[in-house]
Amino acid sequence: MTSEKFKLLLVDDDDIDIMSFQRALKKTGLNYELDICKNSIETIEFVKKYKYNCIFLDYLLPGVDGLELLKKIRGLKVFTPIAVMTSQGDEKLAVQMIKSGAFDYFPKAELSPDYIQKVILNGVRLWEVENKRLKAEKEIEENNNRLTAIVESTDNNIYAINNSLQIISFNSSFKNRILLQQNIEVYIGQSIHEFIKDDEIINHFIASLKGHSLTHFEELTLNNQYNCFETTYNPIKSDGKTTGVAIFSKDITENRKFQKELLQARNDALFSAKAKTEFLSNMSHEIRTPMNAIMGITDLLLDDSAFTGTSLKNLKSIRYSADNLLVIINDILDFSKIEAGKISFENIDFDLRLRMSELHKTFEYRSKEKGLDFIINIDEDIPNILKGDPYRLNQILFNLVGNALKFTSKGSITIDVKLIETHDNKCKLMFNIIDTGIGIPEHKQSKIFESFNQAYTDTTRKFGGTGLGLAITKNLTILQNGNINIISKVGKGSVFSVELTFEKSEFKKLEIDKLVDEVYDLSKFKILVVEDNVMNQFVAKQFFKKWNTEIIIANNGVEAIALLSENIDFDLVLMDLQMPEMSGFEAAELIRSNNSPVLNSDIPIIALSADAFLETRKKVIEAGMNDFVTKPFKPDELYQKVLKYVIKS
Ligand code: ADP
């Protein structure tokens, strides 16, 4: 027996019936509370006021029948189980009452405690089930409302179709889009063929109905305006079968426009970066060409013993300034190459100790001049021959030692080269460049590696410089997977540490081009100089005159080919690269080609160019030339290269 307390309502106007109901109810032993109403008005009031577990309703009431009252109660959204009682049985009436929401119907004659108990307990159970159903229904409704709100809150087009390609659901955005686009009103049950004529899209529906999800980009013109939609087709599955397709169509017009603008801006930026690099490259090339004349003529004059005293000093100043100018031009060129991501590295065998001793030679004089000691220590464990880019290593060390010299007025400059790691075929080296100079304040130490940044505002005025050297040095180090660090104390000095990894070479020693110390008689050789710049022709003439060598000038590739086709007695060609009519590359390729028009197609060719890039040097070799000398050329270097090829040939 349940201990639950039931709140019951009896609606009956007959006192005798009420009494017999109460008696029977008492005998059930149930825990209950019974209210009694004798007419419909009272009943409605009570039903509104209290929550009952079960209502017993007499069919015949004064002025109203049970059916009417039942409908009124249900109209109040009160779904309490109602059992209808009547004086005599009537099947038709019973059916009608059940249809209108009663859960039981019985004649009063059958009222017994057992029967009442059964009715109450059945009603309560039924009520519980009904309550759960109502709750679930409410949840579904709320969920649906939420989903509808979400679907409606977006301006993306959402709709769904069934297996027969008919609309089963859609949101206002979709409805409005179709209305705007095609002046068609969308409705449930409508075939999509009414507004989608494109077979490709229909095929997407069909593919999705086979269970595939897919995305399609649709570009179209709406009201004379470009529109783009990203549409996703997702199969709707029920019991593992595809019963329809949900379509989500997102308007990505703005996004697309933005992407296009972004792409355009990126292309513009790339174009202007390229233009900038090309400009800087051309400009420094253009500057290097006259620099060749300035430096060449200065060298010639410096060799002339007629200049002494102030004149010699002035000449040396010109030479010094020209050297500085060249460093700046090279820095700008390197910097623009790094910015454009166009820098490449050699991977060749080199003799580290030899390179370091050359570096020592370069800076020895300047450090002595300033009264500074210049020391280089190299760990004994470091192999002699390494593989990597000796030119870039030289450039890094050159920059750092140059700075150390510039910013140190007493004490010393030391380069310590240490082996910090070695395994397999690699060894990691650390180059410490130590000076006892002015030092760099801590807060400036990270800034000096940025381009155009100097530690003190008066650096340029006091020491000169562009602020590019360390930016280039850092980039060159990092691009070779290395590292650069600084430790510095104002007034005490600085230590720049560069970590670089090199491959170990298979060679223990390198064959190097021996510098020819003896003075050779070059008078028996004939050299063809292909050069379009009149000043540089003049410089070449002056040098070769000094070396007693006959040179013939060709103004471009075409003239060179013509001369080489008529004369067999040339021993060497010095070839400029950028020339009108026919470039140095084209001329060299033609000379080396199978159907070469020249008389000696094996003649040694040395390229002579203001463009100092590795790629250019590679192109030179690819075009069939033997060697490369950069302009402005160092007289010694040119002399040695000329000797190397004419003596060999
Ligand atoms: P630049 O020397 O042409 O100005 P860098 O990029 O080589 O440009 O150097 C940036 C700045 O870092 C220098 O201007 C200087 O202020 C500081 N700096 C670099 N090396 C040293 C050094 N060894 N001692 C003191 N200051 C230095």
Side-chain angles (χ1 to χ4, degrees), residues 34-85:
L34 179 69
D35 289 337
I36 297 167
C37 291
K38 293 196 169 175
N39 58 52
S40 67
I41 299 170
E42 215 182 352
T43 306
I44 295 295
E45 263 174 37
F46 269 62
V47 164
K48 277 185 183 169
K49 212 158 152 190
Y50 305 111
K51 276 194 165 174
Y52 293 102
N53 296 105
C54 192
I55 299 172
F56 290 85
L57 176 64
D58 184 16
Y59 181 71
L60 281 173
L61 290 167
V64 60
D65 67 24
L67 188 62
E68 223 172 290
L69 186 55
L70 178 71
K71 283 181 179 168
K72 269 191 184 164
I73 295 172
R74 293 298 185 231
L76 293 172
K77 295 222 178 287
V78 172
F79 298 104
T80 312
I82 299 176
V84 179
M85 306 175 298

Side-chain angles (χ1 to χ4, degrees), residues 403-404 406-407 435 440 448 453-455 459 465-467 469-470 494 496:
N403 277 347
K406 191 157 77 171
F407 297 106
D435 69 51
I440 301 159
I448 53 166
N453 226 319
Q454 300 182 317
T459 305
T466 54
L470 285 181
S494 312
F496 282 85

